[in-house]
Amino acid sequence: MNATSANPFTKMIKALSKIEPHEIKATVISFLLVMILMAAYYILRPVRDAMASDWSDAEVSTLWTINFFFSFAIVAFYGLAASKISIKKLVPSVYGFFASTFILFYLVTTVIDNTTYIDKGFYVWVSVFSLFPLSVFWSFMADIYSREQSKRLFGVITTGASVGAMIGPSIPLLFSDLGTYNLMLLAAVVLLFTLPVVIYLRRLDFTPEQDSFTSPPRNELNALGGNPLAGFKLFLTNPFLLGIGIFLFLYTGIGSFIYFELKNLMADFTREQRTEIWAFMDLATNSLTIIAGLFVTSRLATKFGLGLTLAFLPIIVLGGLLSVAMLPLLSIVVGLQIFRRGGNYAITKPAREMLFTYVDQETRFKAKQVIDVVVYRGGDVFWSWAFTLLTTVIGLGMAGVALVGAGIAGVWASVGIYLGKKAAQQDQQTPLKGESQIG
């Protein structure tokens, strides 16, 4: 045992979170990177969601439909970039691009009086941003860490997202007189801080004694090459990736139903009040997420496997929706939303990201974005119009919608168990990262 591993502090870290001494530095930097990334997003999120209550269900559903096509185009453009730009430059290029767009939005609002269309464009663009940079971040993480490490470390790393998601919404709460449009500029500046962190993490020197830590990402100095649309083909022809896509699609169904109910319930509040309410919900969600991310996720994944870890939240949500069906109160819906999002951030999402340590580099940097962005936004479109149909055409109330959601949650849990079984089979066949992929 070396001196580092004998340090009482490192022993405590390992006991609490299963981090090995030689992994602490990389884990901390990864934690910091996602913290900054999510802080930037969560400065923008309450601004975006506050705008939605000014519009009808049909208008929001239309924006979600537009968002799907934007997302499709951005993923295709990203596939082209991944084919031409080296992996080393790809991640910082994505973050720098999004930062520049938010600066542009801010500048436009300073010269245009009627910002209705700017607001709607901003709503769509932030929705694209909410998924894409985080998807690229997890591609980066899956490329760095091994399967075994992902089960121990991803839960801890994702708490960095929760810390950032606490810092971000605190800004509109603490500086309510800053103005919603000034928050766009602030978020852009925060996002730029990810660039030096990405570069530093890429330059970390992993010595031979750190033999359980993977080498720096393969092929990092070269572009991936190939067809820019290869990610779509990989997704559509791989049953394992299709399973991940279905799992995410069902998750969006639950999220969309709850989001629309909350949006409608807050229609009578002012935009400033809505911004503060959404910010408070974000703050509460991520406060709860940290505990589960630090102390629950790694233990669930290592002890019970990915199947039960992936099914954990769907089963809990199923019970929560049945409770809403029996007692459709606002307080229960708000609590379910906080628990659903917190459980996703701390447990379900890290477990889903662990699945991408079972695939090759091209899949991680091309097909993953198809799932995380296009499938996710396609789910938004489908479920938003489904909600509009159920409430506006069929006339279902909150209890009826909750029963439909409970059925979705049951299927969602089943798909999670299936994905866990496929991963377990791969573990038995190829215990080391990079030897093969699930197909």
Side-chain angles (χ1 to χ4, degrees):
M1 179 180 294
N2 57 35
T4 302
S5 62
N7 187 298
F9 175 75
T10 58
K11 284 185 176 181
M12 180 184 70
I13 293 294
K14 182 178 179 180
L16 291 175
S17 59
K18 295 182 177 293
I19 303 175
E20 296 291 343
H22 62 270
E23 298 167 338
I24 292 176
K25 187 174 184 180
T27 303
V28 169
I29 299 302
S30 301
F31 177 101
L32 180 63
L33 175 57
V34 75
M35 182 189 75
I36 297 172
L37 181 62
M38 294 305 287
Y41 166 58
Y42 272 90
I43 292 172
L44 299 170
R45 181 187 173 100
V47 178
R48 179 201 67 178
D49 290 338
M51 294 174 176
S53 294
D54 288 338
W55 309 317
S56 67
D57 287 351
E59 284 181 294
V60 174
S61 296
T62 300
L63 289 176
W64 285 21
T65 304
I66 294 171
N67 184 24
F68 168 74
F69 290 106
F70 260 91
S71 298
F72 187 96
I74 288 296
V75 169
F77 179 77
Y78 169 79
L80 176 63
S83 300
K84 303 295 184 181
I85 301 175
S86 69
I87 295 299
K88 183 177 181 180
K89 297 178 180 178
L90 186 62
V91 178
S93 297
V94 169
Y95 297 159
F97 168 74
F98 275 97
S100 65
T101 63
F102 292 123
I103 294 173
L104 181 61
F105 266 109
Y106 168 77
L107 293 175
V108 171
T109 63
T110 62
V111 297
I112 295 180
D113 293 328
N114 186 350
T115 61
T116 300
Y117 290 109
I118 301 300
D119 289 348
K120 290 184 176 181
F122 176 77
Y123 184 93
V124 170
W125 192 242
V126 172
S127 298
V128 174
F129 174 72
S130 68
L131 297 177
F132 200 87
L134 192 60
S135 175
V136 173
F137 167 80
W138 284 111
S139 294
F140 186 20
M141 294 296 100
D143 215 43
I144 291 176
Y145 296 102
S146 68
R147 295 178 195 170
E148 184 274 333
Q149 286 176 313
S150 71
K151 293 176 182 178
R152 291 186 293 103
L153 304 181
F154 278 15
V156 177
I157 292 171
T158 200
T159 61
S162 299
V163 173
M166 290 174 65
I167 295 172
S170 298
I171 303 299
L173 289 173
L174 295 175
F175 303 98
S176 57
D177 59 342
L178 191 60
T180 55
Y181 295 125
N182 288 328
L183 292 172
M184 297 179 185
L185 183 60
L186 178 60
V189 173
V190 172
L191 187 58
L192 289 173
F193 280 100
T194 62
L195 304 186
V197 178
V198 170
I199 294 170
Y200 181 76
L201 186 56
R202 281 287 187 190
R203 291 177 177 176
L204 281 181
D205 181 24
F206 306 115
T207 62
E209 66 177 359
Q210 300 168 346
D211 55 5
S212 67
F213 196 81
T214 59
S215 300
R218 299 183 304 277
N219 190 32
E220 69 168 354
L221 298 178
N222 301 301
L224 291 173
N227 189 332
L229 299 179
F232 292 92
K233 181 179 179 181
L234 288 168
F235 168 63
L236 293 173
T237 58
N238 189 316
F240 184 65
L241 297 179
L242 283 171
I244 298 175
I246 293 171
F247 183 85
L248 187 61
F249 179 80
L250 295 169
Y251 166 77
T252 64
I254 302 296
S256 297
F257 281 17
I258 297 175
Y259 179 87
F260 270 79
E261 287 290 359
L262 288 170
K263 178 191 77 69
N264 292 338
L265 290 168
M266 284 189 275
D268 293 333
F269 293 87
T270 67
R271 181 177 287 193
E272 289 72 19
Q273 289 173 324
R274 297 173 208 153
T275 299
E276 291 184 6
I277 291 171
W278 282 107
F280 172 78
M281 290 175 61
D282 288 338
L283 198 59
T285 295
N286 291 287
S287 298
L288 294 175
T289 300
I290 293 174
I291 296 175
L294 287 175
F295 305 115
V296 177
T297 307
S298 61
R299 286 165 174 78
L300 271 177
T302 56
K303 186 173 183 179
F304 298 104
L306 288 182
L308 288 178
T309 304
L310 288 166
F312 177 80
L313 179 62
I315 292 171
I316 298 300
V317 168
L318 190 156
L321 287 168
L322 291 177
S323 298
V324 172
M326 292 184 290
L327 198 63
L329 299 176
L330 173 61
S331 58
I332 296 179
V333 178
V334 169
L336 180 59
Q337 171 74 333
I338 292 172
F339 190 90
R340 179 194 68 84
R341 291 178 57 217
N344 176 61
Y345 296 149
I347 298 172
T348 306
K349 183 170 179 56
R352 184 166 59 84
E353 301 301 346
M354 295 172 196
L355 297 173
F356 287 97
T357 63
Y358 291 81
V359 299
D360 61 20
Q361 191 177 45
E362 184 178 24
T363 301
R364 284 194 292 273
F365 282 97
K366 289 187 177 180
K368 187 178 187 304
Q369 282 64 49
V370 174
I371 296 171
D372 289 350
V373 181
V374 178
V375 172
Y376 193 111
R377 291 312 177 195
D380 281 346
V381 172
F382 177 87
W383 294 114
S384 66
W385 286 111
F387 179 91
T388 303
L389 175 67
L390 291 172
T391 57
T392 304
V393 179
I394 299 177
L396 287 184
M398 188 181 298
V401 171
L403 285 175
V404 175
I408 296 170
V411 180
W412 182 26
S414 300
V415 176
I417 292 173
Y418 162 79
L419 291 170
K421 287 182 179 179
K422 293 288 288 184
Q425 291 172 2
Q426 184 72 356
D427 278 332
Q428 294 174 357
Q429 296 169 6
T430 55
L432 296 178
K433 177 183 177 183
E435 292 185 0
S436 69
Q437 60 175 324
I438 296 177

